[in-house]
Short mmCIF file of all heavy atoms in Angstrom, two decimals:
data_model
loop_
_atom_site.label_atom_id
_atom_site.label_comp_id
_atom_site.label_asym_id
_atom_site.label_seq_id
_atom_site.Cartn_x
_atom_site.Cartn_y
_atom_site.Cartn_z
N LEU A 1 112.34 99.29 92.88
CA LEU A 1 110.96 98.88 92.75
C LEU A 1 110.36 99.50 91.50
O LEU A 1 110.62 100.63 91.16
CB LEU A 1 110.15 99.33 93.95
CG LEU A 1 110.44 98.67 95.28
CD1 LEU A 1 109.59 99.32 96.36
CD2 LEU A 1 110.23 97.20 95.25
N GLY A 2 109.50 98.76 90.86
CA GLY A 2 108.81 99.26 89.68
C GLY A 2 107.38 98.79 89.68
O GLY A 2 106.94 98.04 90.53
N THR A 3 106.66 99.24 88.69
CA THR A 3 105.27 98.83 88.55
C THR A 3 105.19 97.74 87.51
O THR A 3 105.75 97.86 86.43
CB THR A 3 104.40 100.02 88.10
OG1 THR A 3 104.49 101.04 89.08
CG2 THR A 3 102.96 99.61 87.94
N SER A 4 104.52 96.65 87.84
CA SER A 4 104.32 95.56 86.90
C SER A 4 102.84 95.49 86.56
O SER A 4 102.03 95.16 87.42
CB SER A 4 104.76 94.22 87.52
OG SER A 4 106.12 94.27 87.85
N PRO A 5 102.48 95.81 85.31
CA PRO A 5 101.06 95.72 84.93
C PRO A 5 100.54 94.30 85.09
O PRO A 5 101.26 93.34 84.86
CB PRO A 5 101.05 96.14 83.46
CG PRO A 5 102.31 96.89 83.26
CD PRO A 5 103.29 96.29 84.22
N GLN A 6 99.32 94.17 85.51
CA GLN A 6 98.68 92.87 85.70
C GLN A 6 97.29 92.94 85.09
O GLN A 6 96.57 93.90 85.31
CB GLN A 6 98.59 92.56 87.19
CG GLN A 6 97.92 91.25 87.51
CD GLN A 6 97.84 91.01 89.01
OE1 GLN A 6 97.98 91.93 89.81
NE2 GLN A 6 97.62 89.80 89.38
N ILE A 7 96.95 91.92 84.32
CA ILE A 7 95.63 91.87 83.71
C ILE A 7 94.73 90.99 84.56
O ILE A 7 95.08 89.87 84.88
CB ILE A 7 95.69 91.33 82.28
CG1 ILE A 7 96.49 92.29 81.40
CG2 ILE A 7 94.28 91.12 81.72
CD1 ILE A 7 96.73 91.80 80.01
N ILE A 8 93.58 91.53 84.95
CA ILE A 8 92.59 90.78 85.72
C ILE A 8 91.31 90.77 84.92
O ILE A 8 90.77 91.82 84.58
CB ILE A 8 92.34 91.42 87.10
CG1 ILE A 8 93.62 91.40 87.92
CG2 ILE A 8 91.20 90.71 87.82
CD1 ILE A 8 93.52 92.13 89.23
N LEU A 9 90.82 89.60 84.58
CA LEU A 9 89.56 89.50 83.87
C LEU A 9 88.45 89.60 84.91
O LEU A 9 88.39 88.82 85.84
CB LEU A 9 89.47 88.19 83.11
CG LEU A 9 90.51 88.02 82.02
CD1 LEU A 9 90.38 86.64 81.39
CD2 LEU A 9 90.36 89.09 80.95
N TYR A 10 87.61 90.58 84.76
CA TYR A 10 86.57 90.88 85.74
C TYR A 10 85.22 90.58 85.12
O TYR A 10 84.87 91.11 84.09
CB TYR A 10 86.65 92.35 86.14
CG TYR A 10 85.61 92.76 87.13
CD1 TYR A 10 85.75 92.51 88.47
CD2 TYR A 10 84.45 93.38 86.71
CE1 TYR A 10 84.79 92.88 89.38
CE2 TYR A 10 83.48 93.76 87.61
CZ TYR A 10 83.66 93.51 88.94
OH TYR A 10 82.71 93.88 89.84
N SER A 11 84.48 89.70 85.76
CA SER A 11 83.15 89.37 85.26
C SER A 11 82.21 89.29 86.45
O SER A 11 82.55 88.74 87.48
CB SER A 11 83.18 88.04 84.52
OG SER A 11 81.89 87.71 84.09
N ARG A 12 81.01 89.85 86.27
CA ARG A 12 80.04 89.84 87.35
C ARG A 12 78.66 89.62 86.76
O ARG A 12 78.30 90.24 85.77
CB ARG A 12 80.11 91.18 88.08
CG ARG A 12 79.10 91.31 89.18
CD ARG A 12 79.31 92.58 89.94
NE ARG A 12 79.36 93.71 89.04
CZ ARG A 12 79.56 94.95 89.44
NH1 ARG A 12 79.75 95.20 90.70
NH2 ARG A 12 79.59 95.95 88.58
N LEU A 13 77.90 88.75 87.36
CA LEU A 13 76.54 88.52 86.90
C LEU A 13 75.66 89.66 87.38
O LEU A 13 75.78 90.14 88.50
CB LEU A 13 76.00 87.20 87.44
CG LEU A 13 76.70 85.94 86.95
CD1 LEU A 13 76.12 84.72 87.66
CD2 LEU A 13 76.52 85.79 85.44
N ARG A 14 74.78 90.10 86.52
CA ARG A 14 73.86 91.16 86.88
C ARG A 14 72.44 90.62 86.87
O ARG A 14 72.09 89.75 86.09
CB ARG A 14 73.93 92.30 85.86
CG ARG A 14 75.18 93.11 85.96
CD ARG A 14 75.11 93.96 87.18
NE ARG A 14 75.77 95.23 86.93
CZ ARG A 14 75.72 96.22 87.76
NH1 ARG A 14 75.08 96.14 88.88
NH2 ARG A 14 76.33 97.33 87.49
N ASN A 15 71.62 91.17 87.70
CA ASN A 15 70.21 90.84 87.72
C ASN A 15 69.59 91.32 86.41
O ASN A 15 69.75 92.47 86.03
CB ASN A 15 69.55 91.53 88.92
CG ASN A 15 68.10 91.19 89.06
OD1 ASN A 15 67.41 90.90 88.09
ND2 ASN A 15 67.62 91.22 90.29
N LYS A 16 68.89 90.46 85.71
CA LYS A 16 68.30 90.82 84.42
C LYS A 16 67.35 92.01 84.55
O LYS A 16 67.19 92.78 83.61
CB LYS A 16 67.56 89.63 83.82
CG LYS A 16 68.49 88.54 83.37
CD LYS A 16 67.71 87.40 82.76
CE LYS A 16 68.65 86.29 82.35
NZ LYS A 16 67.96 85.14 81.79
N ASN A 17 66.76 92.20 85.70
CA ASN A 17 65.83 93.31 85.89
C ASN A 17 66.54 94.65 85.91
O ASN A 17 65.92 95.68 85.72
CB ASN A 17 65.03 93.12 87.18
CG ASN A 17 64.10 91.92 87.10
OD1 ASN A 17 63.66 91.55 86.02
ND2 ASN A 17 63.83 91.32 88.23
N GLN A 18 67.84 94.65 86.17
CA GLN A 18 68.58 95.90 86.20
C GLN A 18 68.85 96.42 84.79
O GLN A 18 69.18 97.58 84.61
CB GLN A 18 69.91 95.73 86.93
CG GLN A 18 69.72 95.53 88.43
CD GLN A 18 71.05 95.29 89.12
OE1 GLN A 18 71.86 94.52 88.64
NE2 GLN A 18 71.25 95.96 90.23
N GLY A 19 68.75 95.54 83.80
CA GLY A 19 68.91 95.96 82.42
C GLY A 19 70.33 96.30 82.02
O GLY A 19 70.55 96.93 81.00
N LYS A 20 71.32 95.91 82.80
CA LYS A 20 72.70 96.21 82.46
C LYS A 20 73.37 94.94 81.94
O LYS A 20 73.22 93.88 82.52
CB LYS A 20 73.47 96.71 83.68
CG LYS A 20 72.99 98.05 84.18
CD LYS A 20 73.85 98.52 85.32
CE LYS A 20 73.38 99.86 85.85
NZ LYS A 20 74.19 100.31 86.96
N THR A 21 74.09 95.08 80.86
CA THR A 21 74.85 93.96 80.32
C THR A 21 76.30 94.38 80.19
O THR A 21 76.60 95.55 80.01
CB THR A 21 74.32 93.52 78.94
OG1 THR A 21 74.38 94.64 78.06
CG2 THR A 21 72.90 93.01 79.03
N MET A 22 77.20 93.41 80.28
CA MET A 22 78.61 93.70 80.20
C MET A 22 79.00 94.04 78.77
O MET A 22 78.64 93.34 77.84
CB MET A 22 79.43 92.50 80.69
CG MET A 22 80.90 92.77 80.70
SD MET A 22 81.91 91.51 81.49
CE MET A 22 81.02 90.03 81.24
N ASN A 23 79.71 95.11 78.59
CA ASN A 23 80.22 95.51 77.30
C ASN A 23 81.64 94.98 77.19
O ASN A 23 82.55 95.50 77.83
CB ASN A 23 80.19 97.03 77.16
CG ASN A 23 80.63 97.48 75.80
OD1 ASN A 23 81.21 96.73 75.03
ND2 ASN A 23 80.36 98.73 75.51
N LYS A 24 81.84 93.94 76.38
CA LYS A 24 83.14 93.29 76.30
C LYS A 24 84.20 94.17 75.66
O LYS A 24 85.38 93.86 75.76
CB LYS A 24 83.00 91.97 75.55
CG LYS A 24 82.19 90.95 76.31
CD LYS A 24 82.11 89.65 75.58
CE LYS A 24 81.27 88.68 76.37
NZ LYS A 24 81.14 87.39 75.71
N SER A 25 83.81 95.24 75.00
CA SER A 25 84.80 96.10 74.37
C SER A 25 85.16 97.31 75.23
O SER A 25 85.85 98.21 74.78
CB SER A 25 84.31 96.56 73.00
OG SER A 25 83.18 97.37 73.14
N THR A 26 84.72 97.31 76.48
CA THR A 26 85.02 98.41 77.39
C THR A 26 86.02 97.96 78.44
O THR A 26 85.86 96.92 79.06
CB THR A 26 83.73 98.92 78.07
OG1 THR A 26 82.80 99.28 77.06
CG2 THR A 26 84.01 100.10 78.95
N VAL A 27 87.07 98.77 78.62
CA VAL A 27 88.17 98.44 79.52
C VAL A 27 88.29 99.51 80.59
O VAL A 27 88.21 100.70 80.29
CB VAL A 27 89.51 98.33 78.75
CG1 VAL A 27 90.65 97.99 79.68
CG2 VAL A 27 89.39 97.31 77.63
N LEU A 28 88.49 99.08 81.83
CA LEU A 28 88.80 100.00 82.93
C LEU A 28 90.29 99.84 83.25
O LEU A 28 90.75 98.75 83.58
CB LEU A 28 87.96 99.70 84.17
CG LEU A 28 88.30 100.52 85.43
CD1 LEU A 28 88.14 102.02 85.17
CD2 LEU A 28 87.45 100.08 86.60
N VAL A 29 91.05 100.93 83.11
CA VAL A 29 92.48 100.94 83.41
C VAL A 29 92.68 101.66 84.74
O VAL A 29 92.26 102.81 84.89
CB VAL A 29 93.28 101.64 82.29
CG1 VAL A 29 94.75 101.75 82.67
CG2 VAL A 29 93.12 100.90 80.97
N VAL A 30 93.32 100.99 85.70
CA VAL A 30 93.62 101.58 87.00
C VAL A 30 95.14 101.59 87.15
O VAL A 30 95.77 100.54 87.26
CB VAL A 30 93.00 100.77 88.16
CG1 VAL A 30 93.22 101.49 89.48
CG2 VAL A 30 91.52 100.52 87.90
N GLU A 31 95.72 102.77 87.11
CA GLU A 31 97.18 102.91 87.17
C GLU A 31 97.52 104.29 87.70
O GLU A 31 96.98 105.29 87.22
CB GLU A 31 97.78 102.71 85.77
CG GLU A 31 99.25 102.97 85.66
CD GLU A 31 100.08 102.16 86.61
OE1 GLU A 31 100.02 100.91 86.57
OE2 GLU A 31 100.81 102.78 87.42
N ASP A 32 98.40 104.34 88.72
CA ASP A 32 98.73 105.63 89.31
C ASP A 32 99.84 106.37 88.58
O ASP A 32 100.02 107.58 88.77
CB ASP A 32 99.06 105.49 90.80
CG ASP A 32 100.24 104.58 91.07
OD1 ASP A 32 100.75 103.95 90.13
OD2 ASP A 32 100.64 104.49 92.24
N ASP A 33 100.59 105.70 87.72
CA ASP A 33 101.62 106.36 86.93
C ASP A 33 100.96 106.97 85.69
O ASP A 33 100.44 106.25 84.83
CB ASP A 33 102.69 105.35 86.53
CG ASP A 33 103.80 105.98 85.73
OD1 ASP A 33 103.59 106.18 84.51
OD2 ASP A 33 104.86 106.27 86.31
N ASP A 34 100.98 108.30 85.61
CA ASP A 34 100.28 109.00 84.52
C ASP A 34 100.75 108.55 83.14
O ASP A 34 99.93 108.33 82.24
CB ASP A 34 100.47 110.51 84.65
CG ASP A 34 99.77 111.10 85.86
OD1 ASP A 34 98.83 110.46 86.38
OD2 ASP A 34 100.16 112.21 86.28
N ASP A 35 102.07 108.46 82.95
CA ASP A 35 102.60 108.11 81.64
C ASP A 35 102.21 106.69 81.23
O ASP A 35 101.82 106.46 80.08
CB ASP A 35 104.13 108.25 81.61
CG ASP A 35 104.57 109.70 81.74
OD1 ASP A 35 103.80 110.60 81.32
OD2 ASP A 35 105.68 109.93 82.25
N LEU A 36 102.30 105.75 82.16
CA LEU A 36 101.93 104.37 81.86
C LEU A 36 100.43 104.26 81.59
O LEU A 36 100.01 103.60 80.64
CB LEU A 36 102.35 103.44 83.00
CG LEU A 36 102.01 101.96 82.82
CD1 LEU A 36 102.60 101.41 81.52
CD2 LEU A 36 102.51 101.16 84.02
N ARG A 37 99.63 104.95 82.41
CA ARG A 37 98.18 104.92 82.21
C ARG A 37 97.81 105.49 80.84
O ARG A 37 97.02 104.90 80.10
CB ARG A 37 97.46 105.70 83.32
CG ARG A 37 95.93 105.58 83.27
CD ARG A 37 95.25 106.28 84.42
NE ARG A 37 95.51 107.71 84.45
CZ ARG A 37 96.32 108.33 85.31
NH1 ARG A 37 96.93 107.65 86.25
NH2 ARG A 37 96.50 109.63 85.25
N ASP A 38 98.43 106.60 80.48
CA ASP A 38 98.15 107.21 79.17
C ASP A 38 98.56 106.28 78.03
O ASP A 38 97.83 106.14 77.04
CB ASP A 38 98.87 108.55 79.03
CG ASP A 38 98.27 109.63 79.92
OD1 ASP A 38 97.13 109.44 80.42
OD2 ASP A 38 98.94 110.66 80.12
N ALA A 39 99.72 105.64 78.16
CA ALA A 39 100.18 104.72 77.11
C ALA A 39 99.25 103.53 76.97
O ALA A 39 98.93 103.11 75.85
CB ALA A 39 101.61 104.26 77.42
N LEU A 40 98.81 102.98 78.10
CA LEU A 40 97.89 101.84 78.06
C LEU A 40 96.57 102.25 77.41
O LEU A 40 96.04 101.54 76.56
CB LEU A 40 97.63 101.31 79.47
CG LEU A 40 98.78 100.56 80.14
CD1 LEU A 40 98.48 100.36 81.63
CD2 LEU A 40 99.04 99.24 79.45
N CYS A 41 96.04 103.40 77.81
CA CYS A 41 94.77 103.87 77.26
C CYS A 41 94.89 104.13 75.76
O CYS A 41 94.01 103.73 74.98
CB CYS A 41 94.31 105.13 77.98
SG CYS A 41 93.80 104.84 79.69
N ASP A 42 95.96 104.79 75.35
CA ASP A 42 96.15 105.08 73.93
C ASP A 42 96.24 103.80 73.11
O ASP A 42 95.63 103.69 72.05
CB ASP A 42 97.42 105.91 73.71
CG ASP A 42 97.30 107.34 74.22
OD1 ASP A 42 96.16 107.78 74.51
OD2 ASP A 42 98.34 108.00 74.35
N THR A 43 96.99 102.83 73.61
CA THR A 43 97.15 101.56 72.90
C THR A 43 95.82 100.83 72.78
O THR A 43 95.48 100.32 71.70
CB THR A 43 98.17 100.66 73.64
OG1 THR A 43 99.42 101.36 73.69
CG2 THR A 43 98.35 99.33 72.94
N LEU A 44 95.06 100.77 73.87
CA LEU A 44 93.76 100.09 73.84
C LEU A 44 92.77 100.81 72.93
O LEU A 44 92.02 100.17 72.20
CB LEU A 44 93.20 99.97 75.26
CG LEU A 44 93.94 98.98 76.17
CD1 LEU A 44 93.57 99.22 77.63
CD2 LEU A 44 93.66 97.55 75.75
N GLU A 45 92.78 102.14 72.96
CA GLU A 45 91.86 102.89 72.10
C GLU A 45 92.21 102.69 70.62
O GLU A 45 91.32 102.54 69.78
CB GLU A 45 91.90 104.37 72.47
CG GLU A 45 91.17 104.64 73.78
CD GLU A 45 91.36 106.05 74.31
OE1 GLU A 45 92.23 106.80 73.79
OE2 GLU A 45 90.63 106.40 75.25
N LEU A 46 93.50 102.65 70.30
CA LEU A 46 93.92 102.39 68.92
C LEU A 46 93.49 100.99 68.46
O LEU A 46 93.25 100.76 67.29
CB LEU A 46 95.44 102.53 68.78
CG LEU A 46 95.95 103.97 68.76
CD1 LEU A 46 97.48 103.98 68.81
CD2 LEU A 46 95.45 104.71 67.53
N ALA A 47 93.38 100.07 69.43
CA ALA A 47 92.95 98.71 69.12
C ALA A 47 91.43 98.60 69.03
O ALA A 47 90.90 97.52 68.77
CB ALA A 47 93.48 97.74 70.17
N GLY A 48 90.72 99.72 69.27
CA GLY A 48 89.27 99.74 69.10
C GLY A 48 88.46 99.60 70.37
O GLY A 48 87.24 99.48 70.31
N TYR A 49 89.12 99.62 71.52
CA TYR A 49 88.40 99.50 72.78
C TYR A 49 87.93 100.87 73.28
O TYR A 49 88.57 101.89 73.02
CB TYR A 49 89.28 98.87 73.86
CG TYR A 49 89.59 97.42 73.58
CD1 TYR A 49 90.76 97.07 72.91
CD2 TYR A 49 88.72 96.42 73.95
CE1 TYR A 49 91.04 95.75 72.64
CE2 TYR A 49 88.99 95.09 73.68
CZ TYR A 49 90.15 94.76 73.02
OH TYR A 49 90.42 93.46 72.75
N THR A 50 86.85 100.88 74.03
CA THR A 50 86.41 102.06 74.76
C THR A 50 87.06 101.97 76.12
O THR A 50 86.93 100.96 76.81
CB THR A 50 84.87 102.06 74.91
OG1 THR A 50 84.30 102.05 73.60
CG2 THR A 50 84.41 103.28 75.68
N VAL A 51 87.78 103.02 76.51
CA VAL A 51 88.60 102.95 77.73
C VAL A 51 88.15 104.01 78.73
O VAL A 51 87.93 105.16 78.38
CB VAL A 51 90.09 103.16 77.39
CG1 VAL A 51 90.94 103.09 78.65
CG2 VAL A 51 90.56 102.13 76.36
N THR A 52 88.02 103.58 79.97
CA THR A 52 87.82 104.47 81.11
C THR A 52 89.02 104.26 82.01
O THR A 52 89.49 103.13 82.17
CB THR A 52 86.53 104.09 81.88
OG1 THR A 52 85.42 104.21 80.99
CG2 THR A 52 86.32 104.98 83.08
N SER A 53 89.54 105.33 82.59
CA SER A 53 90.73 105.17 83.42
C SER A 53 90.63 105.98 84.70
O SER A 53 89.87 106.94 84.80
CB SER A 53 91.99 105.57 82.65
OG SER A 53 91.99 106.95 82.40
N THR A 54 91.41 105.56 85.68
CA THR A 54 91.52 106.26 86.95
C THR A 54 92.87 105.94 87.57
O THR A 54 93.50 104.94 87.22
CB THR A 54 90.37 105.87 87.91
OG1 THR A 54 90.50 106.64 89.11
CG2 THR A 54 90.41 104.40 88.26
N ASP A 55 93.29 106.79 88.50
CA ASP A 55 94.55 106.54 89.19
C ASP A 55 94.33 106.15 90.66
O ASP A 55 95.28 105.96 91.40
CB ASP A 55 95.46 107.76 89.11
CG ASP A 55 94.89 108.99 89.81
OD1 ASP A 55 93.70 108.98 90.16
OD2 ASP A 55 95.63 109.95 90.01
N GLN A 56 93.08 105.99 91.06
CA GLN A 56 92.76 105.70 92.45
C GLN A 56 91.91 104.43 92.58
O GLN A 56 90.97 104.23 91.82
CB GLN A 56 91.97 106.86 93.06
CG GLN A 56 92.73 108.17 93.09
CD GLN A 56 93.88 108.13 94.07
OE1 GLN A 56 93.75 107.60 95.17
NE2 GLN A 56 95.01 108.67 93.67
N GLY A 57 92.23 103.62 93.56
CA GLY A 57 91.49 102.38 93.80
C GLY A 57 90.03 102.61 94.13
O GLY A 57 89.15 101.92 93.62
N GLN A 58 89.75 103.59 94.99
CA GLN A 58 88.36 103.84 95.38
C GLN A 58 87.54 104.31 94.18
O GLN A 58 86.39 103.92 94.01
CB GLN A 58 88.27 104.87 96.51
CG GLN A 58 86.86 105.07 97.03
CD GLN A 58 86.23 103.78 97.55
OE1 GLN A 58 86.80 103.09 98.39
NE2 GLN A 58 85.05 103.43 97.05
N SER A 59 88.14 105.13 93.35
CA SER A 59 87.46 105.58 92.15
C SER A 59 87.15 104.40 91.23
O SER A 59 86.07 104.33 90.64
CB SER A 59 88.33 106.60 91.41
OG SER A 59 87.76 106.94 90.17
N ALA A 60 88.08 103.46 91.14
CA ALA A 60 87.85 102.25 90.33
C ALA A 60 86.69 101.44 90.88
O ALA A 60 85.83 100.96 90.12
CB ALA A 60 89.12 101.40 90.28
N LEU A 61 86.63 101.29 92.20
CA LEU A 61 85.53 100.55 92.82
C LEU A 61 84.20 101.23 92.55
O LEU A 61 83.19 100.57 92.28
CB LEU A 61 85.77 100.40 94.32
CG LEU A 61 86.94 99.51 94.73
CD1 LEU A 61 87.16 99.58 96.24
CD2 LEU A 61 86.70 98.08 94.27
N ASP A 62 84.18 102.56 92.61
CA ASP A 62 82.96 103.31 92.31
C ASP A 62 82.52 103.09 90.87
O ASP A 62 81.33 102.88 90.59
CB ASP A 62 83.16 104.81 92.57
CG ASP A 62 83.38 105.14 94.03
OD1 ASP A 62 83.06 104.29 94.91
OD2 ASP A 62 83.90 106.24 94.31
N LYS A 63 83.47 103.11 89.95
CA LYS A 63 83.15 102.90 88.54
C LYS A 63 82.63 101.47 88.32
O LYS A 63 81.68 101.26 87.57
CB LYS A 63 84.37 103.16 87.67
CG LYS A 63 84.77 104.62 87.60
CD LYS A 63 86.02 104.82 86.80
CE LYS A 63 86.52 106.24 86.84
NZ LYS A 63 85.60 107.26 86.40
N LEU A 64 83.24 100.50 88.98
CA LEU A 64 82.80 99.11 88.85
C LEU A 64 81.39 98.90 89.40
O LEU A 64 80.65 98.05 88.92
CB LEU A 64 83.78 98.17 89.55
CG LEU A 64 85.12 97.98 88.85
CD1 LEU A 64 86.10 97.26 89.77
CD2 LEU A 64 84.95 97.22 87.55
N ALA A 65 81.04 99.69 90.40
CA ALA A 65 79.70 99.57 90.99
C ALA A 65 78.62 100.13 90.08
O ALA A 65 77.46 99.73 90.17
CB ALA A 65 79.66 100.29 92.34
N ASN A 66 79.01 101.04 89.18
CA ASN A 66 78.03 101.73 88.35
C ASN A 66 78.08 101.39 86.87
O ASN A 66 77.17 101.76 86.13
CB ASN A 66 78.20 103.24 88.52
CG ASN A 66 77.88 103.68 89.93
OD1 ASN A 66 76.82 103.38 90.44
ND2 ASN A 66 78.82 104.35 90.55
N GLU A 67 79.13 100.74 86.43
CA GLU A 67 79.30 100.43 85.01
C GLU A 67 79.78 99.00 84.86
O GLU A 67 80.32 98.41 85.79
CB GLU A 67 80.34 101.36 84.37
CG GLU A 67 79.99 102.82 84.42
CD GLU A 67 81.10 103.67 83.85
OE1 GLU A 67 81.52 103.41 82.71
OE2 GLU A 67 81.55 104.59 84.55
N GLU A 68 79.60 98.46 83.67
CA GLU A 68 80.09 97.13 83.35
C GLU A 68 81.29 97.24 82.44
O GLU A 68 81.28 98.04 81.49
CB GLU A 68 79.00 96.31 82.65
CG GLU A 68 77.86 95.90 83.57
CD GLU A 68 78.27 94.90 84.63
OE1 GLU A 68 79.16 94.08 84.37
OE2 GLU A 68 77.70 94.96 85.72
N PHE A 69 82.32 96.47 82.71
CA PHE A 69 83.53 96.47 81.91
C PHE A 69 83.84 95.04 81.50
O PHE A 69 83.62 94.10 82.26
CB PHE A 69 84.71 97.03 82.70
CG PHE A 69 84.53 98.47 83.09
CD1 PHE A 69 83.97 98.82 84.30
CD2 PHE A 69 84.89 99.48 82.21
CE1 PHE A 69 83.78 100.14 84.66
CE2 PHE A 69 84.70 100.81 82.55
CZ PHE A 69 84.15 101.14 83.76
N GLY A 70 84.37 94.89 80.30
CA GLY A 70 84.77 93.58 79.82
C GLY A 70 86.14 93.19 80.34
O GLY A 70 86.49 92.01 80.39
N LEU A 71 86.94 94.20 80.74
CA LEU A 71 88.30 93.94 81.21
C LEU A 71 88.69 94.99 82.23
O LEU A 71 88.40 96.18 82.06
CB LEU A 71 89.28 93.98 80.03
CG LEU A 71 90.75 93.77 80.33
CD1 LEU A 71 91.00 92.32 80.73
CD2 LEU A 71 91.58 94.11 79.11
N LEU A 72 89.34 94.55 83.29
CA LEU A 72 89.92 95.44 84.29
C LEU A 72 91.42 95.27 84.20
O LEU A 72 91.93 94.18 84.38
CB LEU A 72 89.41 95.08 85.69
CG LEU A 72 90.13 95.74 86.87
CD1 LEU A 72 89.98 97.25 86.83
CD2 LEU A 72 89.60 95.18 88.18
N LEU A 73 92.12 96.35 83.90
CA LEU A 73 93.58 96.33 83.82
C LEU A 73 94.11 97.16 84.97
O LEU A 73 93.83 98.35 85.07
CB LEU A 73 94.03 96.91 82.48
CG LEU A 73 95.51 96.86 82.16
CD1 LEU A 73 95.98 95.41 82.05
CD2 LEU A 73 95.80 97.60 80.86
N THR A 74 94.87 96.51 85.86
CA THR A 74 95.34 97.18 87.06
C THR A 74 96.76 96.72 87.39
O THR A 74 97.37 95.97 86.64
CB THR A 74 94.37 96.94 88.24
OG1 THR A 74 94.78 97.75 89.35
CG2 THR A 74 94.34 95.49 88.67
N TYR A 75 97.26 97.17 88.49
CA TYR A 75 98.60 96.80 88.91
C TYR A 75 98.54 96.15 90.28
O TYR A 75 97.58 96.33 91.03
CB TYR A 75 99.53 98.02 88.93
CG TYR A 75 99.05 99.13 89.85
CD1 TYR A 75 99.52 99.23 91.14
CD2 TYR A 75 98.12 100.06 89.40
CE1 TYR A 75 99.07 100.24 91.98
CE2 TYR A 75 97.67 101.07 90.23
CZ TYR A 75 98.15 101.16 91.51
OH TYR A 75 97.71 102.15 92.32
N LYS A 76 99.57 95.43 90.61
CA LYS A 76 99.64 94.74 91.90
C LYS A 76 100.56 95.53 92.82
O LYS A 76 101.71 95.79 92.46
CB LYS A 76 100.16 93.32 91.70
CG LYS A 76 100.23 92.53 92.96
CD LYS A 76 100.70 91.13 92.66
CE LYS A 76 100.79 90.33 93.93
NZ LYS A 76 101.28 88.97 93.67
N CYS A 77 100.05 95.90 93.98
CA CYS A 77 100.85 96.62 94.96
C CYS A 77 101.48 95.63 95.93
O CYS A 77 100.92 94.59 96.22
CB CYS A 77 99.99 97.60 95.74
SG CYS A 77 99.38 98.95 94.79
N GLY A 78 102.62 96.00 96.44
CA GLY A 78 103.25 95.19 97.48
C GLY A 78 103.99 94.00 96.92
O GLY A 78 104.35 93.94 95.76
N ARG A 79 104.20 93.04 97.80
CA ARG A 79 104.99 91.86 97.44
C ARG A 79 104.15 90.71 97.00
O ARG A 79 103.16 90.40 97.34
CB ARG A 79 105.83 91.45 98.62
CG ARG A 79 106.76 92.56 99.03
CD ARG A 79 107.47 92.20 100.32
NE ARG A 79 108.06 93.40 100.84
CZ ARG A 79 109.33 93.50 101.15
NH1 ARG A 79 110.12 92.48 101.00
NH2 ARG A 79 109.80 94.62 101.62
#
């Protein structure tokens, strides 16, 4: 078994009164393998993206609830 990276484009409409807009150059990386997560973050940062990362699903959900991301990069568990 191995980890297969999967790209999920995440977009959510926000209430204009909240004053939050999606930053298309910000990426959230969710990966439990430290080496793979670091490599993904380094590559995206070199490409000019602002990267936030975590190794836990709940932490990712918390970040998504409080911040806007242009891209969510995660992995698929199971079959």
